[in-house]
Structure formats: structure tokens, C-alpha cells
Amino acid sequence: MPIPMDAALAAHLAQDETTPIRLFSIGGMPRLTLTDCEKDVFWDGKVWRSVGISYSNVEIKLGLEVDTYKLTLDNHDSAMTAWTRTADPKGETTTAWKGATNGVLDEAGRVLLAGNPVLLFEGRNTSVQIDTMAQIVVKSLLDMNDQLAAKARQQVTCRFRFKGRNCGYVGTETSCNLTQARCMELGNQSRFGGYVNLSSRFQSQ
């Protein structure tokens, strides 16, 4: 099944020369906007910082073929270590796009895209491992919703969309990492959409 793309990107890809670019919006507080391009990219009103990064391949046929997506980033300057300590990225949404450029730069020397990139993958961060490299594992939203009942009872992160109808939070905060601790910080624990771990409940009785 072909991935839908806008006319500008389709026209660019029909040319003889093109340079593919991937963009990654990695969930956390603050959110990281990164690219595998050799220069910083300017798109969607944001600067996407050039970093050393590797990633999973995504293959789409009749439906979603990939349930997890792995990102590996350089951490030689320990910048990712510092970010994970403050950003609390687990449970936040990460998105990957693929686009293209013909090398046009803006006035600040940042790469501009030809049309809009296509969405490759979107999911929630389920694990973060930090060493000389930082690896982030992202679980697809579709796969996270496709849970058996017994497994769902062990789910410790909230399954509701932040500020959605089931969440019910109406305060001024703009982000949530879907943990029970964050829900309590927001005074919204009565609407927490995760499940208490049954084994710990039995041990406390």
C-alpha cells in the first residue's frame, strides 16, 4: 500500500537527484527534534538538530508490519544522559517522518524540505538505555491498544489521551508522561487509566 504524500514531495521524488531525510520528534519534557541529515533542518516551524542516529527499518504492506521502533543516538558528550534525567521520556509519544531535500538552505544555513515528509511511525517510549549510545524503544500505539485483558490488568501506564474525555484533566499543564506519579502531581489520580499491579496488591494483603 503506497504511503500518501503531498504533490511537492511526489514531484521532487520524480527528479533524477534527491536526498532522503528522516526526522524524529522524541517525546519528553523538553521534546527533542532530531534529524539524520548532515546539517540542521528547518521544518514545521522548528529546528531539527543534526545528530548521529540509527533507526529501525519500517515496511508497510497491507497493514502495520512493525510494532516496535528502535532509535540509537550518539551520547559521547553525555547530552542524552542529561536529557533523560530531566525529560522523563518513558510513556511520551515519539514520531518518525521521512522526507527529501534538493539541498536548498534557508538564511541560517538550515536544510529545507521538498514538500512535507511522510509519517513512518508513531508510538510511546517504553524503554531508554543510556551508555556511550542512547537507545530508545518505541512501541506502536496500535500494538499498545491491542492488549489481552489479563495483560491489560498489569498495565502501569495510563491508557487515556492526556486531556481527553476519559482523562478529564482541565488544568493548565500541557504534558503528561502517563505515569501514576504524574497523575498524582496533577491532582487527577482518581481518573488514572492504568491498572494496579495485581502481584503487588496480593503481597500487601
Side-chain angles (χ1 to χ4, degrees):
M1 182 176 65
I3 300 176
M5 64 183 69
D6 66 20
L9 178 57
H12 174 74
L13 293 177
Q15 299 176 5
D16 292 335
E17 295 184 3
T18 184
T19 301
I21 289 176
R22 281 178 171 80
L23 304 168
F24 307 93
S25 177
I26 302 176
M29 295 180 285
R31 175 172 289 274
L32 298 180
T33 50
L34 308 176
T35 179
D36 66 344
C37 184
E38 293 183 357
K39 290 179 173 288
D40 290 351
V41 172
F42 187 78
W43 173 68
D44 195 32
K46 306 179 186 71
V47 176
W48 302 74
R49 186 167 56 87
S50 174
V51 296
I53 187 169
S54 61
Y55 38 80
S56 302
N57 291 323
V58 175
E59 180 180 353
I60 297 178
K61 295 180 181 177
L62 295 179
L64 184 65
E65 298 293 320
V66 179
D67 64 353
T68 58
Y69 193 85
K70 294 182 180 179
L71 297 173
T72 304
L73 303 95
D74 287 341
N75 189 40
H76 298 306
D77 59 358
S78 298
M80 287 299 299
T81 301
W83 175 76
T84 55
R85 287 174 178 170
T86 59
D88 198 13
K90 191 172 181 179
E92 296 284 351
T93 301
T94 288
T95 309
W97 291 271
K98 185 176 182 180
T101 181
N102 55 9
V104 175
L105 306 179
D106 67 5
E107 294 179 353
R110 300 169 299 204
V111 173
L112 299 177
L113 300 183
N116 289 311
V118 296
L119 177 66
L120 285 181
F121 192 89
E122 185 174 33
R124 297 198 187 280
N125 304 332
T126 58
S127 72
V128 180
Q129 297 180 7
I130 300 293
D131 199 341
T132 56
M133 307 294 285
Q135 184 179 85
I136 300 175
V137 177
V138 188
K139 191 87 166 173
S140 77
L141 298 179
L142 176 62
D143 188 76
M144 289 186 73
N145 289 331
D146 187 19
Q147 303 282 351
L148 297 175
K151 189 176 181 180
R153 294 191 189 101
Q154 300 292 325
Q155 184 174 325
V156 295
T157 55
C158 184
R159 65 193 187 280
F160 300 145
R161 180 172 58 86
F162 184 51
K163 290 193 173 182
R165 181 183 64 182
N166 292 321
C167 168
Y169 177 72
V170 294
T172 58
E173 294 293 322
T174 59
S175 63
C176 178
N177 63 5
L178 304 180
T179 63
Q180 188 176 29
R182 178 60 172 162
C183 200
M184 294 177 68
E185 288 178 1
L186 300 176
N188 200 44
Q189 57 268 30
S190 64
R191 303 296 294 271
F192 178 62
Y195 295 87
V196 177
N197 186 291
L198 294 180
S199 61
S200 63
R201 176 183 290 179
F202 292 146
Q203 291 171 4
S204 66
Q205 292 179 348

